[in-house]
């Protein structure tokens, strides 16, 4: 069964997170995970002039949108044919389309704001503001100011509503598709604000960006899409050095990477509306590159190093440029080949199996190199004297998927016009991520542009700090750490990569696209005012006393939550009765300031101890769940708040949890060897998951994640055909730790009775099928 505590083989219909099920997705747009990977690509930046017309346009466009299944299957066939032919197969061609929308675009399609205002330090808040508003935070100042952008700037008439991506193996077919889409836009009163043409550079420059270095080597692998290496768990097969990252970092609606390092507070769980599920946030940035300027700067700084005798007199500009990047032109890592490039070694050119642990000060691969600034791997230290972190989920939480491409002709100093120094050229940066702030913006602001990253390396005056990214960062002083241990050399670097346009967009699922074409967004969550029950709290000293058990039943009435006291009798009928009518939460001193209780979790070793019982109380404040500690005294049931509110991030076992819904103690493991085991059910982006955790019986009550998330649908029998469970209540006289335990399962306005066997398999089944909650007189009667 799928409810076992220890992982066991699944039934064929139950997907494990390690299965490649994402390759079969017809909901996720194709460029996010599979990647179009075409030599030619065009992005059309669109503005809607009429919402009704735009919806008709989208209705016509949606069947043309490429899905992950289509693109993944094509890419696999293309790769296999390429291996057999030794070159690009001529018979395999495809043209793909994807579409994304800015916040303003979603509002134009639906005729209203997609969601209420959100703080600027949340992804939804950042998405609504857009990069033009946040330009200073992103380092887009001076020549990169939005006033100079080609698209996405401050002006209302230049506001981008949609980004249409068109990619093809054929130049002719791409031109035809672009012409068709421009005609369609015109027909439906959609303005093409800007057209960005992109193409892979040709000949020896293929796969490189305009400065001349190979790009796209360090892309992450994705659980559920990329095959795991059977010899190295957690890494992609046949791609040494490529870590597998939880797909929840890139696709909304799924659990993200787990982070359990002691002393590290990970980014809080991101809570998105249900319509975001199977979508991703897209960042588009046009980055202009001054190629001759950057190379001239490298040459000038080489002379500084030679004057300081920090490098040999025979050191070349090429050698220093490779340190700015972290790779040679071919892609060969400096960490593996410090003295010279290996341009004809394709293995070296694609080598991503890089460690910086033995180079903590960056004397081989500088700390300011583009490679280390965008992904520090295992070489990051909090200070010079600290031990480096392992490359683990701390870094994985920051990864993004990049799908960019060069634009413009490569620089050629011998010509005028195309290829000349004055022609516009650069990289169209495109990335996908679920959390704009903790992923893209964090990398840009806290790593690339930050002079003090890695941290705590400079003196009180700021001297000796690492400096910004030597390839794409802001103006600043870079600290060259000498291999001979002598005084570091400061290098003055200026920015030769300028932002020329930027958009934050959202790439919806195919289902959401269809809803948008009707002017709607799927509901964020089913709202049930007046639902019969939210959660229960068994009154500790009144369980199975005189043939019945008493409970506090918390339920929502309109917008307010109240509680009542009910009783359930032992016996086959389990007759229930209302013992005390509804009262406001304010009657509890320990719940001061609380407006909505989500659940109570009893301390496993502090029930009816010294005359009182202790509980963790989970409750929501402004949509964010917190918890506090309260106690209930026996006899008079006096309640005390023992500890004030704290964030869920204090629970290591709840990393990635946005909203805890209910908990079921594992019947035969409460307790077991000084621990209590629990199935923990929680909601993320409108969908329920469950995981297994343990809580120690000790003063610290240490909690540990024992098994990561699975969907509630993978609990095969007991929750079958249920999309969302409200709460679960153990049947009081049918709890047998090593036998059969029964539970009432409440979902929407229905309830059913289930059983779970107390053995290693924890076999579960439905004992009594769904019935209306109105059968519970104690929950529905007013007196």
């Amino acid at each position: 069964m799928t409810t076992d505590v220890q992982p066991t083989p699944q039934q064929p219909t139950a997907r494990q997170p390690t299965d490649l099920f994402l390759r079969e997705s017809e909901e996720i747009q194709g460029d996010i995970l599979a990647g179009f990977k075409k030599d030619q690509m065009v992005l059309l930046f669109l503005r809607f002039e009429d919402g009704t017309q735009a919806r008709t346009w989208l209705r016509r466009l949606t069947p043309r949108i490429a899905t992950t299944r289509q693109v993944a299957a094509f890419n696999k066939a293309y790769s296999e044919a390429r291996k057999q032919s030794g070159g690009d197969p001529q018979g395999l061609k495809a043209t793909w389309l994807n579409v994304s929308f800015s916040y303003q675009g979603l509002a134009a399609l639906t005729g209203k704001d997609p969601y209420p205002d959100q703080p600027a330090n949340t992804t939804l808040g950042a998405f609504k503001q857009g990069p033009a508003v946040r330009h200073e935070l992103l380092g887009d100042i001076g020549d990169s100011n939005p006033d100079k952008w080609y698209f996405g700037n401050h002006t209302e008439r230049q506001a981008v509503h949609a980004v249409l991506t068109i990619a093809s193996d054929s130049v002719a077919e791409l031109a035809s598709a672009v012409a068709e889409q421009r005609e369609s836009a015109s027909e439906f009163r959609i303005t093409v604000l800007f057209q960005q043409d992109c193409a892979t550079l040709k000949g020896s420059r293929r796969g490189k960006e305009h400065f001349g270095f190979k790009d796209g080597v360090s892309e992450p692998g994705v659980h559920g899409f990329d095959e795991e290496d059977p010899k190295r768990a957690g890494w992609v097969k046949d791609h040494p050095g490529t870590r597998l990252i939880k797909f929840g970092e890139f696709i909304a609606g799924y659990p993200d990477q787990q982070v359990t390092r002691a002393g590290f507070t990970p980014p809080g769980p991101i809570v998105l509306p249900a319509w975001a599920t199977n979508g991703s946030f897209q960042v588009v940035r046009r980055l202009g590159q001054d190629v001759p300027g950057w190379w001239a700067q490298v040459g000038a700084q080489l002379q500084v190093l030679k004057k300081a005798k920090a490098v040999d007199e025979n050191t070349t500009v090429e050698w220093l440029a490779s340190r700015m990047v972290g790779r040679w032109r071919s892609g060969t890592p400096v960490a593996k080949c410090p003295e010279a490039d290996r341009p004809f070694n394709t293995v070296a050119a694609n080598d991503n199996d890089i460690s910086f642990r033995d180079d903590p000060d960056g004397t081989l691969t500088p700390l300011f190199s583009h490679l280390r600034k965008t992904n520090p791997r295992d070489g990051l230290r909090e200070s010079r004297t600290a031990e480096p972190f392992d490359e683990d989920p701390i870094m994985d939480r920051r990864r993004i998927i990049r799908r960019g491409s060069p634009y413009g002709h490569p620089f050629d100093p011998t010509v005028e016009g195309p290829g000349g120094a004055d022609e516009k050229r650069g990289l169209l940066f495109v990335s996908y991520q679920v959390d704009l702030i903790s992923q893209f913006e964090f990398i840009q602001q806290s790593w690339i542009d930050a002079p003090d990253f890695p941290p705590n390396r400079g003196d009180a005056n700021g001297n000796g700090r690492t400096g910004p990214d030597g390839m794409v960062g802001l103006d600043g002083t870079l600290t060259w750490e000498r291999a001979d241990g002598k005084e570091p050399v400061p290098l003055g670097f200026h920015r030769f990569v300028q932002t020329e346009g930027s958009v934050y967009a959202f790439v919806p699922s195919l289902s959401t696209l269809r809803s948008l074409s009707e002017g709607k967004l799927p509901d964020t969550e089913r709202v049930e005012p007046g639902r019969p029950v939210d959660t229960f709290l068994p009154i500790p000293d009144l369980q199975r006393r005189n043939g019945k058990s008493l409970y506090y039943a918390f339920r929502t009435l309109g917008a307010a939550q109240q509680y009542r006291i009910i009783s359930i009798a032992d016996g086959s009928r389990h007759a229930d009765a209302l013992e005390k009518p509804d009262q406001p939460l304010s009657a509890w001193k320990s719940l001061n300031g609380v407006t909505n209780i989500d659940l109570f979790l009893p301390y496993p070793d502090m029930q009816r101890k010294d005359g009182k019982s202790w509980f963790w109380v989970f409750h929501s404040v402004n949509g964010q769940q917190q918890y506090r500690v309260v106690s209930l005294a026996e006899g008079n049931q006096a309640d005390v708040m023992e500890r004030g509110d704290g964030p869920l991030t204090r629970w290591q076992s709840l990393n990635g949890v946005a909203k805890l819904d209910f908990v079921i103690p594992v019947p035969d493991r409460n307790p077991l060897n000084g621990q209590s085991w629990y199935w923990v059910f929680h909601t993320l982006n409108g969908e329920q998951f469950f995981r297994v955790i343990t809580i120690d019986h000790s003063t610290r009550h240490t909690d540990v994640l024992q098994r990561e998330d699975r969907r509630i649908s993978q609990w095969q029998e007991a929750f079958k055909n249920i999309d969302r469970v409200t709460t679960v209540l153990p049947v009081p006289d049918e709890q047998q730790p090593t036998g059969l335990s029964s539970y009432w399962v409440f979902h929407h306005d229905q309830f059913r009775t289930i059983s779970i066997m107390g053995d290693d398999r924890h076999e579960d089944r439905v004992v009594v099928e769904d019935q209306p909650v109105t059968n519970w007189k104690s929950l529905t009667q007013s007196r």
Side-chain angles (χ1 to χ4, degrees):
M1 301 297 296
T2 56
T3 55
D4 58 337
V5 174
Q6 298 299 330
T8 61
Q10 298 293 299
Q11 300 295 327
T13 56
R15 301 274 193 185
Q16 290 270 24
T18 52
D19 291 341
L20 304 185
F21 67 98
L22 288 174
R23 288 181 169 272
E24 303 299 318
S25 176
E26 295 183 338
E27 278 288 287
I28 302 169
Q29 293 197 45
D31 193 39
I32 304 172
L33 298 177
F36 286 168
K37 302 177 181 178
K38 304 300 186 188
D39 286 344
Q40 293 81 219
M41 180 171 71
V42 168
L43 271 70
L44 298 179
F45 297 87
L46 309 175
R47 173 182 172 79
F48 305 143
E49 303 300 336
D50 180 271
T52 301
Q53 295 272 43
R55 290 191 289 272
T56 305
W57 165 81
L58 181 57
R59 196 153 47 245
R60 179 185 292 184
L61 176 70
T62 297
R64 302 279 303 278
I65 296 300
T67 67
T68 296
R69 182 175 184 176
Q70 291 172 319
V71 178
F74 177 90
N75 288 350
K76 182 179 180 181
Y78 192 95
S79 179
E80 292 174 351
R82 197 167 189 268
K83 289 178 183 178
Q84 294 176 4
S85 64
D88 292 343
Q90 299 302 310
L92 279 176
K93 295 181 180 180
T95 299
W96 302 126
L97 278 68
N98 268 188
V99 67
S100 61
F101 303 96
S102 67
Y103 179 91
Q104 292 77 12
L106 294 176
L109 287 169
T110 59
K112 61 182 180 180
D113 287 341
Y115 49 81
D117 283 344
Q118 298 289 323
N121 63 349
T122 65
T123 276
L124 290 175
F127 176 56
K128 182 173 183 177
Q129 285 188 335
V133 174
R134 302 169 73 82
H135 71 279
E136 292 185 353
L137 179 151
L138 297 170
D140 292 331
I141 55 179
D143 289 341
S144 293
N145 191 284
D147 293 340
K148 303 179 184 294
W149 289 0
Y150 290 97
F151 56 86
N153 59 29
H154 291 295
T155 62
E156 179 63 25
R157 289 302 304 169
Q158 291 296 312
V160 174
H161 287 165
V163 180
L164 182 61
T165 301
I166 311 169
S168 181
D169 297 292
S170 164
V171 174
E173 291 180 10
L174 177 68
S176 176
V178 170
E180 179 187 356
Q181 292 305 320
R182 290 185 70 99
E183 183 179 340
S184 178
S186 177
E187 179 184 353
F188 295 105
R189 296 184 58 196
I190 297 173
T191 301
V192 179
L193 296 173
F194 190 77
Q195 175 174 324
Q196 180 61 67
D197 298 337
C198 303
T200 301
L201 301 183
K202 299 185 182 300
S204 62
R205 294 185 174 96
R206 184 177 179 84
K208 299 177 180 178
E209 46 71 49
H210 281 290
F211 287 147
F213 293 86
K214 185 164 185 175
D215 194 25
V217 180
S218 300
E219 291 303 291
V222 180
H223 277 288
F225 185 85
D226 294 298
E227 189 174 355
E228 187 172 33
D229 189 339
K231 298 179 181 178
R232 192 180 185 189
W235 301 78
V236 179
K237 183 181 179 181
D238 298 329
H239 290 272
T242 300
R243 288 177 61 79
L244 280 167
I245 313 298
K246 284 289 187 64
F247 47 91
E249 296 293 340
F250 313 113
I251 304 297
Y254 300 93
D256 56 21
Q257 199 73 32
Q258 301 295 316
V259 181
T260 58
R261 179 186 292 278
F264 176 80
T265 301
I270 179 170
V271 181
L272 299 175
W275 53 258
T277 299
N278 286 318
S280 186
F281 286 101
Q282 180 191 53
V283 176
V284 181
R285 286 166 73 79
R286 176 177 153 127
L287 303 176
Q289 294 176 262
D290 180 354
V291 176
W294 187 80
W295 278 99
Q297 175 174 238
V298 174
Q301 295 307 305
L302 177 60
Q303 297 308 311
V304 174
L305 292 175
K306 287 183 177 181
K307 184 177 180 179
K309 298 189 182 302
V311 297
D312 187 85
E313 278 298 322
N314 296 321
T315 301
T316 65
V317 173
E318 189 84 16
W319 184 93
L320 179 57
S322 73
R323 268 61 184 173
M324 298 295 106
V325 179
R327 296 183 185 272
W328 296 90
R329 285 180 186 257
S330 70
T332 302
V334 169
K336 295 285 188 73
C337 300
E339 298 306 323
D341 198 357
R342 298 168 65 183
F344 303 109
N345 188 322
T346 56
V347 174
N350 291 285
D351 191 351
N352 197 37
D353 198 6
I354 307 169
S355 172
F356 298 131
R357 180 170 283 276
D358 296 332
D359 185 26
D361 291 320
T363 56
L364 186 58
T365 306
L367 300 178
F368 55 72
S369 67
H370 184 62
L371 199 63
R372 295 187 76 159
K373 276 283 194 171
T374 54
N375 185 10
R377 291 176 169 82
D378 60 356
L380 180 61
R381 301 187 299 178
E382 291 185 355
S383 67
R384 285 182 180 272
T385 58
E387 284 294 313
F389 293 137
D390 292 329
E391 184 176 4
D392 62 12
I394 291 179
M395 305 302 167
D396 295 344
R397 288 298 308 270
R398 307 300 186 186
R399 301 305 304 276
I400 59 178
I401 291 177
R402 294 180 299 143
R403 298 290 183 225
S405 178
Y407 65 88
H409 290 85
F411 173 63
D412 183 345
T414 66
V415 303
E416 296 181 5
D422 294 333
E423 188 194 357
K424 292 292 186 180
R425 61 178 58 84
L427 179 75
L428 187 73
F429 173 93
V430 178
S431 71
Y432 296 106
Q433 54 277 297
V434 163
D435 194 335
L436 289 169
I437 291 180
S438 293
Q439 291 171 277
F440 166 71
E441 288 193 350
F442 182 91
I443 294 172
Q444 184 69 41
Q445 180 187 27
S446 300
W447 284 359
I448 289 176
D449 289 337
D452 193 27
F453 180 79
N456 304 318
R457 301 188 63 85
D459 59 24
N461 297 318
N463 299 315
R465 297 186 301 180
T466 298
D469 187 314
M471 187 184 192
V472 302
L474 297 175
D475 294 356
T477 299
L478 280 54
T479 298
W480 180 270
E481 298 284 354
R482 300 172 61 136
D484 57 14
K486 294 182 180 180
E487 191 71 18
V489 180
L491 301 175
F493 263 73
H494 296 285
R495 184 180 187 182
F496 284 91
V497 174
Q498 306 297 339
T499 305
E500 299 175 344
S502 187
V503 172
Y504 283 172
F506 186 76
V507 187
S509 69
L510 272 293
S511 292
T512 299
L513 285 181
R514 287 187 282 269
S515 293
L516 283 169
S517 70
E518 300 297 328
K520 300 179 292 186
L521 281 170
D523 292 338
T524 56
E525 186 174 341
R526 183 171 174 180
V527 179
E528 299 174 286
R531 59 190 173 198
V533 68
D534 295 323
T535 191
F536 294 95
L537 173 62
I539 301 177
D541 56 329
L542 297 177
Q543 292 297 292
R544 305 205 62 198
R545 184 173 174 180
N546 300 323
K548 65 179 181 180
S549 299
L550 267 64
Y551 300 83
Y552 296 108
F554 294 80
R555 64 197 197 114
T556 301
L557 298 174
Q561 192 182 58
Q562 302 188 24
Y563 77 96
R564 55 176 53 188
I565 297 177
I566 70 169
S567 64
I568 302 173
D570 291 348
S572 59
R573 294 184 64 248
H574 294 107
D576 66 300
L578 176 63
E579 300 284 344
K580 192 172 183 179
D582 291 319
Q583 300 181 67
L585 295 190
S586 58
W588 289 56
K589 295 179 181 179
S590 63
L591 300 183
N592 182 41
V594 174
T595 58
N596 186 278
I597 298 291
D598 295 318
L599 81 154
F600 292 82
L601 177 59
Y603 275 66
D605 55 340
M606 297 182 69
Q607 296 301 297
R608 306 194 66 185
K609 185 176 181 180
D610 299 326
K612 63 180 180 179
S613 298
W614 290 56
F615 303 87
W616 291 287
V617 181
F618 295 83
H619 66 102
S620 298
V621 179
N622 296 325
Q624 297 293 316
Q625 197 176 60
Q626 303 179 16
Y627 77 98
R628 62 178 59 180
V629 177
V630 307
S631 64
L632 280 179
E634 294 184 16
N636 61 8
Q637 298 171 34
D639 64 298
V640 175
M641 183 168 68
E642 303 284 355
R643 190 184 307 158
D645 287 337
L648 296 193
T649 51
R650 290 180 181 173
W651 290 66
Q652 294 186 15
S653 64
L654 301 184
N655 179 254
V657 171
K659 182 179 183 295
L660 210 61
D661 295 327
F662 63 95
V663 171
I664 303 178
V666 180
D668 58 327
R669 302 193 178 189
N670 262 275
L672 179 67
N673 299 326
Q675 294 179 321
S676 288
W677 292 63
Y678 301 88
W679 290 295
V680 174
F681 294 75
H682 68 100
T683 296
L684 187 63
N685 298 337
E687 185 175 3
Q688 276 188 324
F689 297 83
F690 71 97
R691 60 178 59 182
V692 177
I693 74 169
T694 55
I695 301 176
D696 287 346
H697 294 199
S698 65
T699 55
R700 292 179 59 84
H701 293 100
T702 303
D703 63 298
V704 176
L705 178 67
Q706 298 291 347
R707 193 188 66 196
E708 294 187 357
D709 285 328
R710 299 180 184 178
R711 286 185 175 81
I712 194 172
S713 59
Q714 291 179 263
W715 196 303
Q716 289 285 300
E717 298 299 328
F719 301 133
K720 197 170 185 178
N721 299 323
I722 296 179
D723 64 333
R724 180 178 178 79
V725 175
T726 304
T727 192
V728 171
L729 179 64
V731 179
D733 56 339
E734 294 184 11
Q735 297 299 300
Q736 303 177 45
T738 57
L740 201 64
S741 296
S742 299
Y743 306 83
W744 291 297
V745 176
F746 294 82
H747 59 104
H748 303 308
D749 57 356
Q750 303 283 311
F751 79 100
R752 65 177 59 172
T753 308
I754 70 168
S755 66
I756 302 175
M757 183 63 70
D759 57 17
D760 288 341
R761 290 176 55 82
H762 297 104
E763 185 172 354
D764 63 291
R765 65 186 183 92
V766 177
V767 178
V768 180
E769 297 289 346
D770 287 339
Q771 303 174 63
V773 179
T774 52
N775 288 358
W776 286 69
K777 295 180 180 179
S778 63
L779 296 178
T780 55
Q781 68 185 61
S782 58
R783 292 289 178 186

